[in-house]
Amino acid sequence: MSEETLKTIATFYKFAEFPDFEEWKSKLKDWGKSNEILGTMILAHEGINATISGPREGIENFINLIREDVRFSDLSPRIAESTRSTFYRLRIITRPEIVTLGDPSIDPNRVVGKYVEPKDWNELIRDPSVRVIDTRNEYEVKVGTFKGAENPQTDTFRQWPNYVKEKLGENKKQKIAMFCTGGIRCEKASSHLLENGFEEVYHLKGGILNYLENIPPEESDWDGECFIFDNRVSVTHGLKDGETELCYGCRWPLSDEDLKSENYEYGISCPRCFDSLTHAKKKSLEERHKQLELARERNVAHIGLEMPGKSSLAD
């Protein structure tokens, strides 16, 4: 693998008072263009959430420009490298929240759970008195999770408050350890629990990505791959590219059984959506798949193709 083929991927977020977030959109676009940055950035009153890719020097320059603002001076991105085309464009999105819980009163800058370093995580989650909860959504959990973790079976993070109300019960003294992809959902989820009376709440610092980067496979309690929000789809230990594939029709992770099914058609459908896709949708997917193959033959990116995954970043 030659150095020239490698792309640097940076994942980062920061909760901060950010009332001028809409004014940042144009300058981030300008900085991104001058540094050859692609990816997705979400801006809101509460801060920044982003996964971007580009040449290493461009990534460093771009992040350093953001760090010039005192609110983001301690921005600490998680860095990985890949030969894959992780993004096709730079999207900068403004929203009410950088991770959508649906309750703007929850503020991780005010109260948040206890951070647990990756080196201490195994000991914590192996404690039988600790309730270990995966705060991610169902399609992410399907790709991989920590051994013995509880799956809330949510489709979006907005469903987290209902899960807490219905499943965590009235025992506010129970020990709860949570984790998510990069740490952002856990910050909000832990803040939500503390605001609702739970007393002992822990979360994995830097999320699964930090754990996979720092804990070797032979010492790991992680099972499977980690779903991520770019065209790599998943990563493994050392943040190496994973092998997970997604269905273009329903945007769901595919199992080995799915891939062998007679109802699986690459780029179009899988057993989960085979009978539910409309004729128009199938035709659209067939045309998109055709254009993708033509683009691959010419060795160029097909700009009309977004990542065949769920919504941007950690919704």
Side-chain angles (χ1 to χ4, degrees):
M1 179 169 20
S2 67
E3 190 69 23
E4 288 73 25
T5 64
L6 287 174
K7 299 171 182 65
T8 298
I9 302 105
T11 303
F12 57 90
Y13 71 90
K14 180 65 187 293
F15 286 103
E17 291 292 330
F18 197 23
D20 52 332
F21 70 97
E22 292 183 338
E23 299 169 19
W24 274 58
K25 188 169 183 177
S26 59
K27 66 180 177 182
L28 285 169
K29 282 185 176 180
D30 291 340
W31 293 346
K33 184 176 181 180
S34 62
N35 287 287
E36 302 178 54
I37 302 298
L38 306 176
T40 301
M41 301 187 71
I42 299 175
L43 313 178
H45 282 282
E46 63 181 6
I48 293 177
N49 182 18
T51 300
I52 57 173
S53 70
R56 176 170 285 276
E57 183 178 358
I59 291 287
E60 291 174 353
N61 290 340
F62 186 78
I63 290 172
N64 284 334
L65 285 167
I66 298 174
R67 284 182 178 142
E68 289 180 2
D69 187 293
V70 66
R71 294 168 295 186
F72 306 112
S73 59
D74 60 348
L75 205 62
S76 182
R78 185 120 284 107
I79 300 295
E81 291 183 325
S82 177
T83 56
R84 299 185 187 180
S85 296
T86 50
F87 295 100
Y88 297 125
R89 67 191 76 181
L90 176 61
R91 300 174 65 220
I92 301 175
I93 305 163
T94 56
R95 288 184 179 173
E97 300 174 79
I98 57 173
V99 57
T100 307
L101 179 65
D103 183 352
S105 71
I106 300 301
D107 182 4
N109 286 316
R110 183 172 61 246
V111 60
V112 74
K114 299 174 184 177
Y115 295 98
V116 181
E117 296 287 349
K119 64 183 179 62
D120 302 317
W121 182 249
N122 288 355
E123 181 180 0
L124 176 65
I125 66 173
R126 291 173 186 176
D127 183 341
S129 70
V130 175
R131 189 168 183 174
V132 184
I133 302 174
D134 192 332
T135 66
R136 301 172 304 151
N137 298 321
E138 181 73 18
Y139 60 92
E140 298 168 82
V141 178
K142 177 180 172 66
V143 176
T145 191
F146 281 105
K147 297 170 184 175
E150 186 173 329
N151 176 9
Q153 298 181 321
T154 56
D155 294 320
T156 73
F157 190 48
R158 283 180 176 273
Q159 295 171 342
W160 171 257
N162 286 336
Y163 163 76
V164 171
K165 184 178 180 180
E166 296 173 7
K167 301 296 183 181
L168 293 192
E170 298 301 320
N171 180 11
K172 306 293 186 179
K173 295 184 181 297
Q174 61 183 307
K175 295 180 182 179
I176 297 175
M178 301 180 297
F179 62 92
C180 58
T181 307
I184 187 170
R185 267 178 286 199
C186 288
E187 295 224 20
K188 268 215 173 172
S190 70
S191 182
H192 174 266
L193 288 184
L194 292 168
E195 293 282 14
N196 282 274
F198 289 85
E199 299 176 6
E200 197 165 356
V201 181
Y202 303 86
H203 52 105
L204 178 58
K205 187 175 182 180
I208 302 161
L209 297 181
N210 193 23
Y211 183 92
L212 293 179
E213 183 179 16
N214 289 284
I215 303 301
E218 61 272 16
E219 299 176 14
S220 176
D221 277 358
W222 179 258
D223 186 12
E225 298 182 348
C226 177
F227 183 95
I228 53 174
F229 295 87
D230 62 56
N231 290 334
R232 292 172 295 166
V233 182
S234 67
V235 294
T236 61
H237 285 87
L239 302 186
K240 296 177 181 177
D241 292 352
E243 297 181 356
T244 301
E245 296 183 43
L246 296 184
C247 172
Y248 281 73
C250 63
R251 302 177 177 183
W252 198 261
L254 297 166
S255 65
D256 289 339
E257 185 178 351
D258 291 332
L259 294 171
K260 295 173 184 176
S261 170
E262 62 181 15
N263 290 334
Y264 170 67
E265 188 172 356
Y266 175 69
I268 299 173
S269 64
C270 72
R272 181 183 176 86
C273 65
F274 180 79
D275 292 327
S276 61
L277 291 178
T278 65
H279 178 73
K281 177 67 172 177
K282 285 184 178 180
K283 285 295 183 182
S284 173
L285 290 167
E286 287 171 359
E287 179 60 27
R288 186 172 70 169
H289 179 57
K290 177 183 175 181
Q291 294 302 319
L292 174 61
E293 292 303 310
L294 290 172
R296 282 177 176 164
E297 289 175 8
R298 297 193 298 268
N299 196 30
V300 297
H302 183 248
I303 194 66
L305 282 173
E306 292 291 348
M307 172 199 172
K310 299 292 176 177
S311 54
S312 302
L313 303 181
D315 285 345

